[in-house]
Amino acid sequence: MRALEGIKVVEFGDGVAVGYCGALLRSCGSSVIKIESPKNGDSVRHLPPFAEGICSPEASGFHTFLNAGKSSVAINLEETGGATLAKQLCLDADVVLEALGPETANSIGIRYKVLKADSPSLVMVSLSWFGADGPRRNWVGNDAIVQALAGFIYPIGTKEGPPIIPGGYQAQITGGLTAFVATMTAMIGVLTHNEGVLIDQSILEAQATYSESAGVRYAYDGTPSVRKGLNKFQPTYPQTIYPTAEGWIGVNALTPPQWRACCELLGATSLCDESRFLTSETRNKYAEELDACLIPLFRTRAAVEWFHEAQAKRVPFALVPTMEELESLDHFEARNVMVEYNHSDLGKFSAAAIPWKFGATPLQNGGTAPSLGQHTRDILTEVLDLSDTEINELVSSGIVTMQEEVR
């Protein structure tokens, strides 16, 4: 039996954050019904990477990664009948995930206070870029915007600037993971006192947790955030990546024992005793001078050689593999980190599994992602107990769409 087996989740809205939260719940055994727009589906269906020769909305590998094992139900929430169906599905659920945008859920009747009246133990999670209130609640967001507003981007880049945007969807992944933690906390509360809760999850506030050290420094001594150069960050050094004879090596030698072991490994113990390199703070101040000493030394051997010798001496070095190399990384293979995802149109590919393991309850890693509207008829029949006649009327009125009508 899986940890959350029997828990029913309904997922509304677009984006990576809500999709990842739902994926985490599904991996632990929950059944997840994803409500999508009949016309285009979840916006993630239109995010790359795309498979060649596959038409939208079934071409996105990223959608497959986030939605494997979920059920897709295509409902037009702008229609009164569609909103009614959505509410009925919510009342059958233990958890509702919602990322429809400010006030949208309320406007279509998926209001927490209304749902709770009929389902007191319901846990509802409202994910948004900036939260349910405050002066920015209605702003349009994306990962780069919230990373910038959280102070995460400013220190990244060359001294002259501009700040560098990391790219990708890390802010939303963090928001989805944070929402999952909050959901699990609320579900424990339900077990204790049988009362549900509304969780207001801001992606910006989840991202702001990465700025904790800079905030503490500024509070204590007024030290501002500065760009010191590529792969150089306050207050410690070396915490960077160096070129080697073959490949790149990540170096994170911060404590005095780590720094001394690093110098011994490089055959440069004299660096340990130089006053400008004595502490991590002074090494950060003289980072360019330190790099001038270290780069030629690291270039004498391949990254994999430095890595294994450093690990043997308990020095925290890291390989910097390409995506091609990642799949065959020995540690990943041993721990089954990469798992198989599948889609009826895209075929199979490997990607990272859910980032934890349970000792006694297996996870549902990987699996097959649904086509848009693939499970509409099944869910309306099995969950809402609608007849074929009732479902056909919903189809003819445009309130719901089946997979065969999408294609």
Side-chain angles (χ1 to χ4, degrees):
M1 183 172 178
R2 294 182 171 87
L4 297 182
E5 192 165 325
I7 297 296
K8 301 175 184 177
V9 179
V10 179
E11 177 186 317
F12 293 90
D14 289 344
V16 175
V18 69
Y20 192 59
C21 184
L24 295 175
L25 289 166
R26 178 262 169 180
S27 75
C28 296
S30 300
S31 62
V32 181
I33 298 172
K34 185 173 184 64
I35 309 298
E36 301 191 66
S37 163
K39 185 175 181 181
N40 296 311
D42 179 3
S43 64
V44 177
R45 289 184 179 274
H46 307 277
L47 294 179
F50 300 117
E52 293 185 10
I54 306 298
C55 295
S56 178
E58 306 302 344
S60 172
F62 196 26
H63 174 269
T64 297
F65 168 72
L66 288 175
N67 294 288
K70 299 178 184 178
S71 298
S72 173
V73 179
I75 301 178
N76 185 353
L77 297 177
E78 295 179 358
E79 294 283 346
T80 301
T84 300
L85 291 176
K87 180 180 177 182
Q88 291 173 337
L89 288 172
C90 290
L91 293 176
D92 185 66
D94 301 290
V95 177
V96 172
L97 307 178
E98 176 269 306
L100 292 167
E103 291 300 323
T104 301
N106 290 344
S107 69
I108 63 174
I110 310 174
R111 183 187 293 270
Y112 176 68
K113 289 184 179 179
V114 173
L115 296 176
K116 186 178 180 181
D118 293 318
S119 182
S121 62
L122 179 69
V123 173
M124 186 169 181
V125 186
S126 179
L127 286 113
S128 61
W129 290 107
F130 302 102
D133 53 22
R136 296 173 178 171
R137 62 184 298 275
N138 291 315
W139 283 20
V140 176
N142 60 33
D143 291 76
I145 288 172
V146 299
Q147 286 173 327
L149 289 174
F152 181 78
I153 289 178
Y154 186 84
I156 303 175
T158 62
K159 288 183 178 180
E160 299 77 18
I164 293 176
I165 299 171
Y169 305 98
Q170 295 94 333
Q172 290 191 75
I173 292 293
T174 299
L177 178 58
T178 306
F180 171 80
V181 173
T183 301
M184 297 306 300
T185 303
M187 289 175 68
I188 292 172
V190 169
L191 292 174
T192 303
H193 50 71
N194 200 36
E195 279 291 318
V197 69
L198 173 63
I199 298 168
D200 173 13
Q201 177 64 63
S202 160
I203 298 172
L204 170 63
E205 290 164 29
Q207 179 67 33
T209 59
Y210 291 109
S211 304
E212 83 295 345
S213 61
V216 171
R217 284 200 310 277
Y218 185 79
Y220 275 100
D221 57 19
T223 301
S225 294
V226 297
R227 283 186 302 282
K228 294 184 64 65
L230 294 176
N231 294 324
K232 293 181 175 68
F233 302 96
Q234 293 180 308
T236 56
Y237 205 76
Q239 187 178 13
T240 189
I241 298 173
Y242 289 115
T244 70
E246 184 179 345
W248 299 81
I249 192 74
V251 178
N252 193 39
L254 307 182
T255 67
Q258 289 172 352
W259 172 236
R260 178 164 292 279
C262 176
C263 292
E264 290 173 353
L265 180 64
L266 292 165
T269 54
S270 61
L271 294 176
C272 296
D273 301 320
E274 288 197 35
S275 59
R276 56 183 176 159
F277 304 144
L278 198 59
T279 67
S280 61
E281 186 175 2
T282 58
R283 291 194 295 274
N284 190 282
K285 182 178 179 180
Y286 296 103
E288 292 183 5
E289 290 92 330
L290 181 59
D291 285 350
C293 298
L294 295 183
I295 288 175
L297 297 174
F298 277 111
R299 285 191 182 277
T300 61
R301 300 172 67 183
V304 67
E305 296 179 47
W306 287 121
F307 170 72
H308 286 296
E309 188 169 342
Q311 287 295 315
K313 296 180 182 297
R314 311 303 295 167
V315 185
F317 284 13
L319 293 172
V320 186
T322 64
M323 289 305 298
E324 183 180 6
E325 295 165 338
L326 199 63
E327 190 170 350
S328 59
L329 198 65
D330 55 356
H331 185 75
F332 278 16
E333 287 184 341
R335 287 182 55 79
N336 298 317
V337 171
M338 307 298 283
V339 297
E340 187 174 272
Y341 292 82
N342 187 34
H343 187 282
S344 58
D345 292 330
L346 303 183
K348 300 176 181 179
F349 63 88
S350 294
I354 299 305
W356 59 72
K357 293 174 173 60
F358 292 143
T361 53
L363 294 172
Q364 299 180 119
N365 276 318
T368 301
S371 301
L372 177 57
Q374 178 177 339
H375 302 95
T376 301
R377 185 174 294 276
D378 293 341
I379 296 300
L380 295 182
T381 301
E382 297 169 12
V383 178
L384 299 186
D385 198 28
L386 299 184
S387 67
D388 285 342
T389 301
E390 291 172 312
I391 293 173
N392 290 337
E393 289 177 356
L394 292 171
V395 172
S396 63
S397 63
I399 292 174
V400 304
T401 305
M402 307 296 171
Q403 180 183 8
E404 55 269 21
E405 281 115 20
V406 173
R407 293 181 176 274

